[in-house]
């Protein structure tokens, strides 16, 4: 059954194959194990009905929301720290922060809040996840960028 998770060739598995060909055996093995772990976790979540559990237990729903927001912010921080180009939103955030000597987290929180206000004016809706994202993503992005740049300098 374990082979069924990694046998079909898709983009994810091509990534694992590319890692095996382009990197050391250790890194390829770590990559493969991470991919298998995520596949198995998703399969088990579907099997045990994570949607039904989330509907029943609001705390679980909030925990998953928070984990998602943190992962999003960490990913944004990592790709921003790589200095290989930034998306338009991150480019504005970092340009304002660098030119005005402001903290990235403050700029990001202000921009996020401004986008929420504009969205509401245009008829959009917001909820708990929106508010938590505005509060959490900026500090996590700044923390991740700072730590990633320190690690890359080693």
């Amino acid at each position: 059954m374990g082979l069924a998770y990694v046998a079909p060739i898709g983009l994810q598995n091509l990534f694992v194959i590319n890692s095996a060909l382009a990197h050391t055996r250790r890194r390829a093995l770590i990559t493969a194990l991470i991919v298998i772990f995520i596949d198995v976790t998703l399969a088990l979540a579907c099997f045990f009905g994570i949607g039904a559990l989330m509907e029943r237990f609001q705390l679980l729903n909030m925990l998953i929301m928070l984990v998602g927001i943190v992962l999003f912010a960490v990913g944004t921080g990592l790709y921003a720290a790589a200095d290989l180009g930034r998306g338009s939103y991150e480019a504005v955030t970092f340009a304002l922060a660098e030119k005005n000597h402001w903290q990235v987290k403050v700029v990001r929180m202000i921009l996020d809040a401004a986008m929420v206000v504009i969205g509401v004016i245009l008829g959009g809706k917001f909820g708990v996840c929106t508010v938590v994202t505005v509060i959490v993503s900026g500090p996590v992005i700044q923390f991740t960028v700072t730590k990633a740049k320190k690690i890359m300098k080693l």
Side-chain angles (χ1 to χ4, degrees):
M1 183 160 156
L3 183 60
Y5 288 112
V6 293
I9 299 296
L11 288 179
Q12 175 180 336
N13 295 309
L14 289 175
F15 173 74
V16 172
I17 292 168
N18 181 54
S19 293
L21 295 173
H23 301 291
T24 64
R25 183 179 301 182
R26 182 174 187 266
R27 182 166 176 190
L29 182 60
I30 290 170
T31 302
L33 290 174
I34 290 170
V35 169
I36 290 170
F37 172 76
I38 291 170
D39 278 352
V40 170
T41 301
L42 290 173
L44 291 174
C46 291
F47 179 77
F48 289 113
I50 192 69
L53 289 174
M54 287 173 61
E55 286 179 9
R56 186 163 181 204
F57 301 106
Q58 191 64 28
L59 184 61
L60 177 62
N61 202 5
M62 293 293 173
L63 178 66
I64 290 171
M65 175 197 70
L66 186 61
V67 168
I69 292 168
V70 170
L71 286 175
F72 154 75
V74 167
T76 301
L78 288 174
Y79 99 80
D83 281 334
L84 297 173
R86 295 179 175 139
S88 56
Y89 199 69
E90 282 67 45
V92 170
T93 302
F94 284 89
L96 284 170
E98 290 166 7
K99 289 186 186 243
N100 297 299
H101 305 289
W102 295 336
Q103 291 185 335
V104 170
K105 66 182 176 184
V106 173
V107 174
R108 182 62 183 238
M109 290 169 73
I110 291 170
L111 285 175
D112 285 349
M115 292 301 113
V116 170
V117 169
I118 291 169
V120 170
I121 290 171
L122 294 173
K125 297 178 182 177
F126 72 97
V128 174
C129 187
T130 310
V131 174
V132 173
T133 301
V134 168
I135 294 168
V136 171
S137 65
V140 173
I141 290 169
Q142 180 173 321
F143 175 82
T144 304
V145 168
T146 304
K147 293 297 180 189
K149 284 189 175 185
K150 277 185 187 176
I151 290 171
M152 287 189 280
K153 286 182 182 179
L154 293 179

